[in-house]
Amino acid sequence: MRSSQLIRLTLKQSRSDLRTFEWRALLLALFLATTLASFLTLLGNQLEKGLNRQSALMLGADLSLSDSQPIPASLLTAASEQGLQHSNVIQFSTMVSTDEQMLLSSVRAVASPYPLRGEIVTQPPQSTRIPAQGTAWAEQQLLERLGISVGETITLGYSQLKITAAVISSPDRGTGFRSFSPQLLINRQDLAATRVIQPGSRIGYRTLFSGPEQQIRDFHARLQQALTPQQRLWSVYEDQPLASGAMQNASGFLRMTSLFGILLCGLLITLSLRRYSSAQYRRSALLQSLGMKPRQILQLYLIKLLLGWLLAALIGVIASLLLLQLTGSVLQPLLPSGLPSPDYRLTATGPLLSLALLLAIGYSPLLQISRIPVMGLLRHDQLSHQGLSWPVRLVILFLSGAVIALYLGSVTHALAATLLSVITILLAGLCASLLLPPAGRLLARRFRLGRLLSYRIHQQRQWHRVQLGIMCLLLTLLCSLLISQTELVNRWRAQLPVNTPNQFVINIQPWELQPLSQFLTDSGIETDLYPMIRGRITAINGQPPERVLDQDQLENNALKRELNLSWLAKAPAHNELVSGSWWPMDTQENLISVEQQLAANLGLKLGDKITFEVGGDSFSATISNTRKVEWRSFRPNFYMIFSPGVLQNYPQTYITSFRLSDKQVGLSRELLKRFPSLTLIDVSQWINQASELIDRLIQASTLILGITLCAGIVLVQLLVSQELEQRRHENALLQVLGSTAAQTRQLDILEFALLGCASGAMAAVLTEIITGLISYRLLDLPLLLHPWIWLILPLTGMLLFTLAALISHRHSGYRQLQQS
């Protein structure tokens, strides 16, 4: 047969196959695989870029380099050569005053362009992005504490500046406690006239960079290699203190969602190809009887599959772009600056993925079709499905795993997903052979149709193994995705709970403890006050650190600076004791509690003796326990906490934190009037920005979860419809033998209810295993058990497959076949 004749025959058969359920199911599977893969890839790219940009709004740039000295001009030249935009910021703490009040403020001297990402929101709105010369913009809390309003004048050093706007929100607040003080923005041209910067002044110099992601990453790597000890580097892609963990989890959730979507579509392609190939055995035998060779039949079906893939991929790409536009309009308000455009080159991901899955999974069934003997036209047993040999199955698994690995960019995740899928189907098939026959015999005694159900279970036992395995994996994937997203949301919310402190008070003197505690108690604020002393580590087990630590450990920042030290009789309630035990309240020993991560980094263990230097004096303490500290809790936390009596004779100050509600905004002004020597640090604006970012992550992950669950439900519906299509002739025969249409429908519904219940029970077991692996390996979440799924999943499986069976009976043309 010539090539032109083969192609004409392929086109003719493709048109006729469109009337068959098996071919339509395969095209739908390819369509869903293309649509889901393209859509999730584009949306994931769009959200990741958008959330990175949202994170950049907090930083004010893509990259921020801070130093105690002016940034060298050579770095700015290098940034310009790489096409990066930059802006210099000078920040320092100083007193601002009016005729009646004085206040310690953090001053930011800026010049255009500033900020490089985001914008400063002011009231009233301003026509310029930074203050004009001779003017200043002040945060609302600074105005409240000075008792002035917009339009009045303040004194900064030797200059007087007019307040022209109140700052509602602003990116780039800087780092350290200086960033939390009430802030004042001035034009850098006014800085020299203030004369507040003198030799010896503690000044922070910060340079912001922005530009394309790859250039920023390259420049970040370059700066990282040349950092001096006093320099700090922050990147929106790697080093955001709060956002980095949340962004990493969100990225992991996107990858996991894409992986589950691939597995769902791969399962449906496998099932559809199996059904389609079984339906083509007689046609293949007929073609061979007409003179076609097995090689030509294989070519015929390969071309047919490629044509079907091309049609499904084209429609799938269009559908994914339309779906992206629809979700984009929904997500657009979630990010203040809107969603960026995705990389549309990633649109090809879906078609290529569905093609790779089709070829990896489909070549072996097509090979079997081409080898059906001609005797199949006369003997039905020659048309039976020949099981795949184990080498062939391993090749298919390897190819499928390779496709997933290329899509995810992770061999580990692809290998884990492939192995888990195979194990799930094998376990479900084993449970099917063990559980379904006894269940059928039990129903045979109680229901009129039970005997027929028991016979069908026995008749379909081989197919039920595959079917039940796929149903179980579908439920497991959907439930695992739902649980992981729920736990991820809870983890994000736990980073900033509702009662997160938004005020810090430092420089509390010992004689102010009692009146300050009374003032806070009378104001309805419950808080703890912690003593604080600055000290430096000088020895470990009697040896200098450089003799007992390796080079990487010596680079730890805790050894290069003074640490905040404290002492407590009781363990802090917001710290978790990891190892060792807390000391008795009346202990006279020099004991110390060390933060867990610092102990791990320095190789410290229980019983080690650490020597400190405070104010020229040295003393030692023995490690009694280690603690897990959540640094993002906005509560006073310390690397080192001593037993009482070790530090009490040294001069100390105290620190505390608490939360002020919107109704208590005037309390901070009253506090500073009563205790003018205190330093009150308001972190509410930073918390609001971080909370906003977390809300965006939650909303985005919920949307992706919903779309994936909808796709999973469609796949379940198609799976049931496919199976019911095989029951049509059997049910018509039952009706000829005396059964009514209602009875055969009840038989199908009873069968699928039993299958759904069994698959749900097994899915509960596997869900616990998979969510445990996801939590531990992918999302870095604690391991939890979910007892409720042991009841919910069997009921959900029964309800889901029963509803799918009812819907399929209504719309599949089943009644018309019965009546015929």
Side-chain angles (χ1 to χ4, degrees), residues 260-295:
F260 283 10
I262 292 171
L263 291 177
L264 292 174
C265 294
L267 287 174
L268 191 58
I269 290 175
T270 302
L271 191 62
S272 300
L273 274 171
R274 184 185 178 95
R275 290 292 194 191
Y276 178 72
S277 61
S278 297
Q280 295 299 306
Y281 288 162
R282 187 174 295 276
R283 176 181 286 183
S284 175
L286 178 61
L287 291 175
Q288 287 196 58
S289 71
L290 296 176
M292 287 189 68
K293 299 178 181 179
R295 178 177 56 83

Coordinates of all heavy atoms in Angstrom, one line a residue, residues 260-295:
F260 N 0.3 16.3 40.0 CA -1.0 15.5 40.2 C -1.8 15.6 38.9 O -2.5 14.7 38.5 CB -1.7 16.1 41.4 CG -1.2 15.6 42.7 CD1 0.0 14.9 42.8 CD2 -1.9 15.8 43.9 CE1 0.5 14.5 44.0 CE2 -1.4 15.4 45.1 CZ -0.2 14.7 45.1
G261 N -1.8 16.8 38.3 CA -2.6 16.9 37.0 C -2.0 16.0 36.0 O -2.8 15.4 35.2
I262 N -0.7 15.9 35.9 CA -0.1 15.0 34.9 C -0.5 13.6 35.2 O -0.8 12.8 34.3 CB 1.4 15.1 34.9 CG1 1.9 16.5 34.4 CG2 2.1 14.1 34.1 CD1 3.3 16.8 34.6
L263 N -0.4 13.2 36.4 CA -0.8 11.8 36.8 C -2.2 11.5 36.5 O -2.6 10.4 36.0 CB -0.5 11.6 38.3 CG 1.0 11.6 38.7 CD1 1.1 11.4 40.2 CD2 1.7 10.5 38.0
L264 N -3.1 12.4 36.8 CA -4.5 12.2 36.4 C -4.7 12.0 34.9 O -5.4 11.1 34.5 CB -5.4 13.4 36.9 CG -5.5 13.6 38.4 CD1 -6.2 14.9 38.7 CD2 -6.2 12.5 39.1
C265 N -4.1 12.9 34.1 CA -4.3 12.8 32.7 C -3.6 11.5 32.2 O -4.1 10.9 31.2 CB -3.7 14.0 32.0 SG -4.6 15.5 32.4
G266 N -2.4 11.2 32.7 CA -1.7 10.0 32.3 C -2.6 8.7 32.5 O -2.6 7.8 31.7
L267 N -3.3 8.7 33.7 CA -4.1 7.6 34.0 C -5.3 7.5 33.0 O -5.6 6.4 32.5 CB -4.7 7.8 35.4 CG -3.8 7.5 36.6 CD1 -4.5 7.9 37.9 CD2 -3.3 6.1 36.6
L268 N -5.9 8.6 32.6 CA -7.0 8.6 31.7 C -6.5 8.2 30.3 O -7.2 7.5 29.6 CB -7.7 9.9 31.7 CG -9.0 9.9 30.9 CD1 -10.0 8.9 31.5 CD2 -9.6 11.3 31.0
I269 N -5.3 8.7 29.9 CA -4.8 8.3 28.6 C -4.5 6.8 28.6 O -4.9 6.1 27.6 CB -3.5 9.1 28.3 CG1 -3.8 10.5 28.0 CG2 -2.8 8.5 27.1 CD1 -2.6 11.4 27.8
T270 N -4.0 6.3 29.6 CA -3.7 4.8 29.7 C -5.0 4.0 29.6 O -5.1 3.1 28.8 CB -3.1 4.5 31.1 OG1 -1.8 5.2 31.2 CG2 -2.8 3.0 31.2
L271 N -6.1 4.4 30.3 CA -7.3 3.7 30.3 C -8.0 3.8 28.9 O -8.5 2.9 28.4 CB -8.3 4.3 31.4 CG -9.5 3.5 31.7 CD1 -9.2 2.1 32.2 CD2 -10.4 4.2 32.7
S272 N -8.0 5.0 28.4 CA -8.6 5.2 27.1 C -7.9 4.4 26.0 O -8.6 3.9 25.1 CB -8.6 6.7 26.7 OG -9.3 7.5 27.7
L273 N -6.6 4.4 26.0 CA -5.9 3.6 25.0 C -6.1 2.1 25.2 O -6.3 1.4 24.2 CB -4.3 3.9 25.2 CG -3.8 5.1 24.4 CD1 -2.3 5.4 24.8 CD2 -3.9 4.9 22.9
R274 N -6.3 1.7 26.4 CA -6.6 0.3 26.6 C -7.9 -0.1 26.0 O -8.1 -1.1 25.3 CB -6.5 0.0 28.1 CG -6.7 -1.5 28.5 CD -6.8 -1.6 30.0 NE -7.0 -3.0 30.4 CZ -6.1 -3.8 30.8 NH1 -4.8 -3.4 30.8 NH2 -6.4 -5.0 31.1
R275 N -8.9 0.8 26.3 CA -10.2 0.5 25.7 C -10.2 0.6 24.2 O -10.8 -0.2 23.5 CB -11.2 1.6 26.3 CG -11.6 1.4 27.7 CD -12.4 0.1 28.0 NE -13.0 0.1 29.3 CZ -13.6 -1.0 29.8 NH1 -13.6 -2.1 29.2 NH2 -14.1 -0.9 31.0
Y276 N -9.6 1.7 23.7 CA -9.5 1.9 22.3 C -8.8 0.7 21.5 O -9.3 0.2 20.5 CB -8.9 3.2 21.9 CG -8.8 3.5 20.4 CD1 -9.9 3.8 19.7 CD2 -7.5 3.4 19.8 CE1 -9.8 4.0 18.3 CE2 -7.4 3.6 18.4 CZ -8.5 3.9 17.7 OH -8.4 4.1 16.4
S277 N -7.7 0.3 22.1 CA -7.0 -0.8 21.4 C -7.8 -2.1 21.4 O -7.8 -2.9 20.5 CB -5.6 -1.0 22.1 OG -5.8 -1.3 23.5
S278 N -8.5 -2.4 22.5 CA -9.3 -3.6 22.6 C -10.4 -3.5 21.6 O -10.8 -4.6 21.0 CB -9.9 -3.7 24.0 OG -8.9 -3.9 25.0
A279 N -11.0 -2.3 21.3 CA -12.0 -2.2 20.3 C -11.5 -2.3 18.9 O -12.3 -2.5 18.0 CB -12.8 -0.9 20.5
Q280 N -10.2 -2.2 18.7 CA -9.7 -2.2 17.3 C -9.1 -3.6 16.9 O -8.6 -3.7 15.8 CB -8.6 -1.1 17.2 CG -9.0 0.3 17.4 CD -10.0 0.7 16.4 OE1 -9.8 0.6 15.2 NE2 -11.2 1.2 16.8
Y281 N -9.2 -4.6 17.8 CA -8.6 -5.9 17.4 C -9.3 -6.5 16.2 O -8.6 -7.0 15.2 CB -8.7 -6.8 18.6 CG -7.8 -6.5 19.7 CD1 -8.0 -7.0 21.0 CD2 -6.7 -5.7 19.6 CE1 -7.2 -6.7 22.1 CE2 -5.8 -5.4 20.6 CZ -6.1 -5.9 21.9 OH -5.3 -5.6 22.9
R282 N -10.6 -6.5 16.1 CA -11.3 -7.1 15.0 C -11.0 -6.3 13.7 O -10.9 -6.9 12.6 CB -12.8 -7.1 15.3 CG -13.6 -7.8 14.2 CD -15.1 -8.0 14.6 NE -15.2 -8.8 15.8 CZ -15.3 -10.1 15.8 NH1 -15.2 -10.8 14.7 NH2 -15.4 -10.8 16.9
R283 N -10.9 -5.0 13.8 CA -10.6 -4.2 12.6 C -9.2 -4.5 12.1 O -9.0 -4.6 10.9 CB -10.8 -2.7 12.9 CG -10.4 -1.8 11.7 CD -10.5 -0.3 12.0 NE -11.9 0.1 12.1 CZ -12.3 1.4 12.3 NH1 -11.4 2.3 12.5 NH2 -13.5 1.7 12.3
S284 N -8.3 -4.7 13.0 CA -6.9 -5.0 12.6 C -6.9 -6.3 11.9 O -6.2 -6.5 10.9 CB -6.0 -5.0 13.8 OG -4.7 -5.4 13.5
A285 N -7.6 -7.3 12.5 CA -7.6 -8.6 11.8 C -8.2 -8.5 10.4 O -7.8 -9.2 9.5 CB -8.4 -9.6 12.7
L286 N -9.3 -7.7 10.3 CA -9.9 -7.5 8.9 C -8.9 -6.9 8.0 O -8.9 -7.3 6.8 CB -11.2 -6.7 9.1 CG -11.9 -6.3 7.8 CD1 -12.4 -7.6 7.1 CD2 -13.1 -5.4 8.1
L287 N -8.2 -5.9 8.4 CA -7.2 -5.2 7.5 C -6.1 -6.2 7.1 O -5.7 -6.1 5.9 CB -6.6 -4.0 8.2 CG -7.5 -2.8 8.5 CD1 -6.8 -1.8 9.3 CD2 -8.0 -2.2 7.2
Q288 N -5.7 -7.1 8.0 CA -4.7 -8.0 7.6 C -5.3 -9.0 6.6 O -4.6 -9.5 5.6 CB -4.2 -8.8 8.8 CG -3.3 -8.0 9.7 CD -2.5 -8.8 10.7 OE1 -1.8 -9.7 10.3 NE2 -2.7 -8.6 12.0
S289 N -6.5 -9.4 6.7 CA -7.1 -10.3 5.8 C -7.3 -9.7 4.4 O -7.3 -10.4 3.4 CB -8.5 -10.7 6.3 OG -9.5 -9.7 6.2
L290 N -7.3 -8.3 4.3 CA -7.4 -7.6 3.1 C -6.0 -7.3 2.5 O -5.9 -6.7 1.4 CB -8.1 -6.3 3.2 CG -9.6 -6.5 3.6 CD1 -10.2 -5.1 3.9 CD2 -10.4 -7.2 2.6
G291 N -4.9 -7.8 3.1 CA -3.6 -7.7 2.6 C -2.6 -6.7 3.2 O -1.5 -6.6 2.8
M292 N -3.1 -6.0 4.2 CA -2.1 -5.1 4.9 C -1.2 -5.8 5.8 O -1.5 -6.8 6.4 CB -2.9 -4.1 5.7 CG -3.6 -3.0 4.9 SD -4.3 -1.7 5.9 CE -2.8 -0.9 6.5
K293 N 0.0 -5.3 5.8 CA 1.1 -6.0 6.7 C 1.0 -5.4 8.1 O 0.6 -4.2 8.3 CB 2.4 -5.7 6.0 CG 2.6 -6.3 4.7 CD 4.0 -6.0 4.1 CE 4.1 -6.7 2.7 NZ 5.4 -6.3 2.1
P294 N 1.5 -6.1 9.1 CA 1.5 -5.6 10.4 C 2.2 -4.2 10.5 O 1.8 -3.3 11.3 CB 2.2 -6.6 11.2 CG 2.0 -7.9 10.5 CD 1.9 -7.5 9.0
R295 N 3.3 -4.0 9.8 CA 4.0 -2.8 9.8 C 3.2 -1.6 9.3 O 3.2 -0.5 9.9 CB 5.3 -2.9 9.0 CG 6.1 -1.6 9.0 CD 7.4 -1.8 8.2 NE 7.1 -2.3 6.8 CZ 6.8 -1.5 5.8 NH1 6.7 -0.2 5.9 NH2 6.6 -2.1 4.6

